[in-house]
Amino acid sequence: MKKLKIVIAGGGSTYTPGIISALLSHIDRFPMEEIRLYDNDSKRNEDMQLIIEQLLKEQNHPEIKLIAEENPKAAFVGADFIFSQIRVGGLEMREQDEKIPLKYGLVGQETCGLGGFAYGLRSIKGILEIVSYVQEYAPNAWILNYTNPETLVGEAIRRVYPGIKMINVCDMTISIEETIAENYHYDRKNWVPTYFGLNHYGWYTEIYDKSLQRDVMPEIINKMREKTMGVAEFNEGDQTWAEAFKMMSTIVEYFPDYIPNNYLEYYLFPDLVVEKTNKDYTRANMVMEGREKNTKEMARKIRAGETENVLNFNFGEHGNYIVDIATSLLNDEHRRFMVITPNRGSIPNLREDAVVEVPAYIGATGVEPIALDSINDFHKGLMEAQVAAEKLLVDAYFEQSYQKALQAFTLNQSVNSAYVAKQVLDEMIEVNKEYWPQLN
Ligand code: NAD
Ligand code: G6P
Ligand code: MN
């Protein structure tokens, strides 16, 4: 089997060790000769290089060459696979995305609501840049993307690079499934889940269990209504995730037909969410003081020569999920995953050009989304409004249109006032000067 050259775009990301660990544990199905960390922040990239060097040493992989590069040509030329996970503006800007809407009584979140829209206008530029490098220096490579906000990134890419070898995925469905399975004692390996929606905005319609030979979703919903879920092992001690999974019971209490994606709390119960959020200390602060600090600390220790038991991270299924997708693609395994992709009829009564999240089989030619049943008016209405808002935002990016941005902000399903939407937009424009296109 040909040995692969892989690039991690956003090499300095706190998620890089999880992806590399997963790659190493699948090395028989995904042989590598070279790992390149590409990041536009050389300090973060060098820290990560130390951590990954240590990981390769501990796992005994001297045959894999490791480099850290700021130069796009050197990073991408001749690459076979690109794993992309950039965060344009870093966690400092995530903090702004979360805190500004909260000041105005709106949801302040990384990927949902107006925070997600602000992040989107930063991310699109960064991801288009990465894709342009891949087109130039490694036109045959596959890009597997985790960069958020995924629907907006997917929409921008769909417009500029239709037919590109790129797969957008999110680890949330697999985390939800793992959490459900751990809480209610199922073996997720036996599941064939069916799901539809937009990214961080969708519903399960069935969870077929192959060993039990039935759809277990109705009984899971009953269990969720009887007893709220705790976090799975990989989220141990994380209060934010504990609350998010608990909230899923409230959602099924109101709407017991399907299992929701936990992120729907931001659209169905924005008022409850805002009420319980600390406006001065948000998730970005927790991540900076948690995962990010931990990464810096690992690098500092290695630099100081303290390499004994220095590596500590637990990313659950995050790394495995994207690596399973990569192996399914490389080895034409035709396994089933949730992907974020242009609809093209997968949800028959939703516009074809919506970027949706649906199950798909993945093989050598890429994704083959499955044909789902028509969806009902409740979910369709919610999704259509949100799709329109997202399309308007991407229009605003390409047309540099203030008016389109204002329409997008107003139509976002976590917002109910143009007056408030405009105030948030105007403040966001100020703080994002360095990152957003100028809106006229
Ligand atoms: P992070 O800030 O720790 O890491 C991101 C890295 O990207 C940083 O080192 C930064 O310097 C680099 N970067 C920023 N802009 C860049 C550019 N234009 N070119 C090259 N490098 C650039 O963030 P994180 O918390 O590790 O998250 C990384 C990304 O993964 C985010 O987009 C996050 O939303 C996403 N994510 C997605 C999922 C999912 O399910 N889709 C899950 C987890 C994380
Ligand atoms: C889940 C979502 C990602 C999101 C992440 C945030 O994994 O699927 O899209 O980026 O959570 O986690 P964090 O710990 O950074 O808040
Ligand atoms: Mn996600």
Side-chain angles (χ1 to χ4, degrees):
M1 227 168 150
K2 183 193 170 209
K3 295 212 167 182
L4 307 165
K5 293 183 177 57
I6 70 133
V7 181
I8 309 273
S13 159
T14 48
Y15 286 99
T16 296
I19 292 183
I20 306 279
S21 302
L23 283 166
L24 295 177
S25 61
H26 294 279
I27 195 95
D28 51 329
R29 287 185 297 153
F30 199 84
M32 293 183 291
E33 63 175 6
E34 195 169 330
I35 297 172
R36 301 173 184 170
L37 306 178
Y38 168 72
D39 203 292
N40 61 4
D41 180 332
S42 57
K43 174 73 179 68
R44 293 179 69 100
N45 217 21
E46 281 159 21
D47 275 7
M48 193 51 66
Q49 187 178 19
L50 290 173
I51 294 169
I52 302 304
E53 222 165 53
Q54 179 65 23
L55 183 66
L56 291 173
K57 221 180 273 169
E58 288 184 13
Q59 301 214 1
N60 202 15
H61 285 290
E63 80 287 5
I64 301 176
K65 184 175 165 194
L66 173 69
I67 59 168
E69 261 302 337
E70 237 187 305
N71 176 302
K73 183 172 180 184
F76 290 97
V77 74
D80 300 295
F81 275 85
I82 286 88
F83 295 85
S84 154
Q85 43 173 356
I86 62 170
R87 185 188 287 286
V88 178
L91 287 161
E92 293 74 25
M93 289 309 295
R94 174 178 179 176
E95 185 180 7
Q96 300 286 349
D97 295 342
E98 292 170 350
K99 290 186 176 170
I100 293 172
L102 280 168
K103 276 205 298 197
Y104 297 90
L106 297 179
V107 165
Q109 213 279 327
E110 176 199 19
T111 61
C112 297
L114 298 185
F117 273 15
Y119 184 17
L121 289 180
R122 292 196 303 278
S123 259
I124 290 172
K125 184 156 174 267
I127 203 79
L128 288 175
E129 195 180 271
I130 301 280
V131 174
S132 76
Y133 296 145
V134 178
Q135 295 281 298
E136 188 172 355
Y137 303 121
N140 294 319
W142 275 99
I143 306 172
L144 302 189
N145 180 54
Y146 258 147
T147 303
N148 269 321
E150 292 257 27
T151 314
L152 293 168
V153 163
E155 172 64 21
I157 295 291
R158 186 191 69 78
R159 293 187 193 191
V160 184
Y161 297 105
I164 191 187
K165 290 169 78 175
M166 178 166 181
I167 302 181
N168 297 306
V169 289
C170 164
D171 63 12
M172 203 61 240
T173 52
I174 207 78
S175 297
I176 291 172
E177 289 160 34
E178 184 66 25
T179 303
I180 292 174
E182 260 190 63
N183 270 274
Y184 304 125
H185 314 294
Y186 291 92
D187 184 354
R188 180 173 64 75
K189 298 279 177 297
N190 296 325
W191 284 357
V192 184
T194 300
Y195 178 94
F196 73 91
L198 315 174
N199 182 232
H200 293 182
Y201 199 105
W203 295 264
Y204 287 89
T205 56
E206 180 180 273
I207 299 181
Y208 184 78
D209 187 306
K210 289 186 277 187
S211 71
L212 301 172
Q213 299 191 335
R214 61 166 192 267
D215 174 13
V216 292
M217 191 183 75
E219 68 198 49
I220 292 171
I221 291 176
N222 286 337
K223 288 173 186 176
M224 288 171 89
R225 295 177 70 179
E226 278 161 24
K227 187 175 175 294
T228 59
M229 290 194 286
V231 289
E233 205 184 323
F234 61 88
N235 276 329
E236 197 70 46
D238 193 322
Q239 197 51 34
T240 314
W241 285 112
E243 279 171 28
F245 287 116
K246 198 168 145 205
M247 191 68 185
M248 283 174 72
S249 288
T250 306
I251 306 180
V252 290
E253 198 59 49
Y254 278 64
F255 307 106
D257 290 350
Y258 297 154
I259 295 179
N261 189 302
N262 58 286
Y263 279 95
L264 280 163
E265 69 173 311
Y266 298 110
Y267 299 101
L268 297 175
F269 299 98
D271 40 6
L272 298 189
V273 171
V274 170
E275 201 181 287
K276 68 176 188 202
T277 307
N278 181 344
K279 295 169 184 53
D280 303 315
Y281 190 82
T282 58
R283 181 73 186 169
N285 300 111
M286 294 176 211
V287 174
M288 284 188 257
E289 286 173 25
R291 208 165 62 225
E292 192 175 50
K293 199 166 154 202
N294 181 43
T295 305
K296 282 186 190 152
E297 188 55 15
M298 281 190 278
R300 187 198 62 74
K301 284 188 180 161
I302 298 170
R303 210 171 255 123
E306 299 171 39
T307 52
E308 198 83 350
N309 297 325
V310 71
L311 300 182
N312 79 77
F313 26 74
N314 174 9
F315 290 100
E317 289 300 309
H318 176 86
N320 286 330
Y321 195 57
I322 204 160
V323 170
D324 279 346
I325 290 171
T327 61
S328 193
L329 192 61
L330 181 70
N331 303 312
D332 197 26
E333 289 165 15
H334 279 268
R335 293 164 64 196
R336 179 166 160 149
F337 302 91
M338 303 302 173
V339 300
I340 298 146
T341 180
N343 184 25
R344 293 175 296 152
S346 187
I347 302 171
N349 56 344
L350 189 78
R351 60 194 279 186
E352 275 186 40
D353 64 353
V355 173
V356 295
E357 186 164 353
V358 290
Y361 289 89
I362 296 189
T365 58
V367 303
E368 296 167 6
I370 69 166
L372 298 169
D373 291 328
S374 289
I375 59 175
N376 64 37
D377 280 336
F378 177 59
H379 309 96
K380 185 166 177 275
L382 281 164
M383 280 170 67
E384 279 174 343
Q386 186 67 11
V387 168
E390 294 181 339
K391 287 201 178 279
L392 285 164
L393 191 82
V394 178
D395 287 349
Y397 175 89
F398 287 113
E399 297 167 22
Q400 295 185 241
S401 163
Y402 179 88
Q403 178 59 37
K404 290 272 181 84
L406 179 58
Q407 290 179 356
F409 270 52
T410 305
L411 191 56
N412 184 296
Q413 288 301 284
S414 70
V415 177
N416 59 10
S417 155
Y419 175 68
V420 175
K422 184 174 187 312
Q423 291 180 74
V424 175
L425 176 60
D426 291 343
E427 190 165 340
M428 292 284 201
I429 287 173
E430 281 307 307
V431 302
N432 280 285
K433 270 209 171 92
E434 209 186 305
Y435 303 102
W436 281 12
Q438 191 184 326
L439 301 177
N440 304 308

